């Protein structure tokens, strides 16, 4: 084993082939609905396969929350991967820092495109080292970690009624999708909060959906409720204005997509918790950098991605499980929301909690029959 490890590490490894596949991920609940009437019933996910001259193969995934959430969309992921892939053939996938700097030089912006490639390279590095990715990201904290359940936007009584079912599945943290009509949202928050039991946590996530005057009304109307307020308005500045006029614990998500704004938000005390989505930052390398900075700054985190299936859920598990427990506010198990399994070995939710695989790399094996023929194939 040690000899294999040293042999592999002493050889510069080269990327030989990059392929990208499209997989449709329908939802068990039919549709996922959030602020401003936005809704998705089938997610467009892209899975990347990177083959090396050493025979090792790595996989990554990127799955935007539709084309109207962040500046990202399914066909854009594949177009970006097709653009980058020819530049990456012959490069060493295990030198993650160098690879990311090279990707940033070859293609400006488009962090979500790079996320799946970076994830696949971490899968390869873990296999080379013979350890799970969470070991490379800092080590495993505890036996497992805590998950939240998103409550899709519905009429207030329906959302409240959905809590019992999720609690029966083991969830103790609930994220309520608001960001609609403020009067209805006040009802939604009050109706769901009335269902909460001791030790449970409730987040009202507006996903940028309120104007400042609407957000101001909502936070005042629920001032007596024990609820976190997440990303009430579109811009960072609007959110900061609301943050300064409410005493609810405050979460920022969509506005925080890189180190510059994370540092600014910390210096302006703009949040108590930040949502780190892997593809929003551009992959595990950059999400881990942001995670480690948050730990140094004392900021708790939700660790997840925009959406995804088995491979993204595995990557989330490695980043979340390697986050100090007290800093992990919560994480997401997207593979339990969707009806299609794209990989064997992916972590599975148990009693509202999850654990990263102990197998080398991401610990997943894609189901090639589900992936079908690649839409991008560069060698
Ligand atoms: Mg959010």
């Amino acid at each position: 084993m040690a000899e294999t490890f040293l042999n592999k590490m002493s050889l510069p490894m080269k990327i030989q082939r990059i392929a990208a596949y499209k997989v449709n991920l329908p939802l068990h609940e039919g549709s996922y609905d959030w602020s401003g009437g936005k809704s998705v019933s089938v997610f467009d996910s892209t899975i990347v396969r990177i083959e090396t001259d050493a025979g090792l193969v790595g996989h990554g995934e990127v799955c935007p929350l539709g084309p109207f959430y962040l500046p990202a969309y399914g066909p854009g992921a594949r177009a970006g991967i097709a653009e980058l892939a020819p530049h990456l053939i012959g490069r060493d996938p295990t030198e993650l820092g160098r690879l990311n700097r090279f990707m940033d030089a070859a293609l400006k912006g488009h962090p979500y495109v790079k996320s799946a490639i970076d994830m696949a390279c971490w899968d390869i590095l873990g296999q080379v080292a013979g350890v799970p990715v969470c070991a490379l990201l800092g080590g495993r904290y505890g036996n497992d970690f805590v998950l939240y359940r998103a409550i899709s936007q519905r009429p207030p009584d329906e959302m409240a009624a959905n809590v019992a079912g999720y609690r029966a599945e083991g969830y103790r943290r609930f994220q309520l999708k608001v960001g609609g009509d403020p009067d209805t949202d006040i009802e939604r928050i009050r109706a769901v909060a009335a269902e909460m039991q001791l030790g449970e946590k409730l987040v009202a996530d507006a996903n940028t959906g309120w104007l400042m005057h609407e957000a101001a009304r909502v936070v005042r109307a629920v001032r007596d409720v024990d609820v976190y307020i997440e990303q009430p308005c579109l811009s960072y500045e609007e959110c900061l204005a609301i943050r300064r006029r409410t005493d609810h614990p405050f979460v920022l998500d969509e506005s925080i997509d890189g180190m510059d704004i994370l540092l600014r938000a910390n210096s302006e005390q703009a949040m108590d918790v930040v949502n780190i989505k892997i593809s929003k930052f551009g992959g595990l390398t950059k999400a881990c950098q942001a995670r480690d900075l948050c730990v140094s700054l004392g900021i708790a985190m939700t660790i997840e991605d925009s959406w995804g299936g088995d491979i993204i859920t595995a990557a989330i598990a490695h980043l979340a499980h390697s986050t100090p427990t007290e800093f992990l506010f919560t994480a997401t198990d997207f593979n339990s929301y969707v009806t299609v399994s794209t990989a064997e070995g992916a972590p599975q939710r148990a009693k509202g909690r999850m654990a990263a695989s102990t197998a080398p790399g991401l610990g997943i094996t894609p189901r090639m029959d589900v992936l079908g023929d690649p839409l991008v194939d560069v060698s």
Side-chain angles (χ1 to χ4, degrees):
M1 190 71 188
E3 193 183 347
T4 307
F5 167 76
L6 288 172
N7 286 346
K8 281 175 181 166
M9 287 305 283
S10 64
L11 289 170
M13 192 181 291
K14 287 183 177 159
I15 294 174
Q16 262 186 345
R17 177 182 178 227
I18 299 178
Y21 305 80
K22 175 188 193 295
V23 179
N24 287 328
L25 300 176
L27 289 159
H28 287 293
E29 291 189 358
S31 70
Y32 182 72
D33 306 320
W34 70 102
S35 77
K38 291 187 274 292
S39 177
V40 173
S41 53
V42 179
F43 285 93
D44 176 344
S45 191
T46 298
I47 290 173
V48 169
R49 175 182 174 89
I50 297 184
E51 298 176 3
T52 66
D53 63 349
L56 292 177
V57 180
H59 295 89
E61 181 181 11
V62 59
C63 183
L65 192 66
F68 32 55
Y69 175 61
L70 292 172
Y73 67 111
R78 279 145 353 232
I81 290 161
E83 173 69 30
L84 265 178
H87 301 286
L88 301 177
I89 301 298
R91 298 205 167 256
D92 188 337
T94 66
E95 295 189 334
L96 269 302
R98 291 188 68 193
L99 192 86
N100 271 275
R101 283 184 66 81
F102 182 79
M103 287 198 289
D104 286 342
L107 177 68
K108 291 282 181 189
H110 300 82
Y112 73 110
V113 166
K114 298 162 187 170
S115 185
I117 295 170
D118 175 78
M119 200 179 283
C121 292
W122 276 98
D123 189 21
I124 292 168
L125 180 61
Q127 293 173 57
V128 170
V131 297
V133 168
C134 67
L136 299 172
L137 296 178
R140 190 181 296 263
Y141 289 87
N143 295 325
D144 56 13
F145 57 88
V146 67
L147 299 167
Y148 78 83
R149 176 70 200 200
I151 304 178
S152 180
Q153 195 171 103
R154 305 276 192 268
D157 53 346
E158 215 177 301
M159 292 174 85
N162 284 340
V163 170
Y166 300 141
R167 183 182 293 120
E169 291 171 357
Y171 293 104
R172 294 291 179 268
R173 297 186 184 192
F174 306 96
Q175 194 202 65
L176 191 58
K177 289 295 164 188
V178 288
D181 169 66
D183 294 306
T184 312
D185 284 338
I186 292 165
E187 279 185 63
R188 287 182 173 117
I189 294 168
R190 289 202 167 277
V192 175
E195 300 294 319
M196 290 296 108
Q197 297 179 357
L198 194 65
E200 295 181 344
K201 286 196 176 79
L202 179 63
V203 178
D205 187 356
N207 289 109
T208 75
W210 294 320
L211 294 176
M212 282 187 287
H213 71 98
E214 296 170 324
R217 282 190 58 224
V218 175
V219 295
R220 192 173 64 175
V222 301
R223 188 158 184 217
D224 60 314
V225 177
D226 182 8
V227 61
Y228 292 67
I229 302 295
E230 181 163 339
Q231 190 79 31
C233 303
L234 183 59
S235 72
Y236 169 78
E237 288 78 8
E238 292 165 289
C239 288
L240 182 60
I242 298 303
R243 155 74 162 176
R244 287 178 171 160
R245 57 203 287 185
T246 177
D247 56 7
H248 286 287
F250 210 81
V251 187
L252 283 181
D253 180 355
E254 287 88 342
S255 292
I256 307 295
D257 57 3
M259 298 300 263
D260 288 358
I261 189 68
L262 179 58
L263 285 165
R264 181 181 164 197
N266 175 66
S267 71
E268 295 179 335
Q269 298 188 324
M271 75 243 159
D272 304 293
V273 179
V274 67
N275 187 311
I276 307 277
K277 291 184 162 77
I278 295 169
S279 62
K280 188 175 64 173
F281 281 81
L284 278 171
T285 301
K286 290 175 179 175
C288 183
Q289 188 185 16
R291 187 274 309 270
D292 291 342
L293 178 65
C294 284
V295 170
S296 296
L297 296 172
I299 302 168
M301 289 157 276
T302 290
I303 289 184
E304 57 172 355
D305 210 326
S306 300
W307 203 269
D310 280 323
I311 298 173
I312 277 176
T313 302
I316 291 169
H318 286 289
L319 187 60
H321 213 151
S322 60
T323 300
T325 306
E326 65 271 33
F327 284 93
L328 186 66
F329 181 63
T330 189
T332 317
D333 59 317
F334 287 116
N335 63 350
S336 81
Y337 290 64
V338 300
T339 63
V340 172
S341 170
T342 52
E344 290 172 37
Q348 303 297 324
R349 175 192 79 211
K351 295 181 179 171
R353 302 182 68 84
M354 205 162 70
S357 170
T358 55
L362 291 176
I364 51 93
T365 307
R367 302 180 195 280
M368 297 310 292
D369 56 322
V370 175
L371 270 50
D373 294 327
L375 299 187
V376 177
D377 196 346
V378 176
S379 56

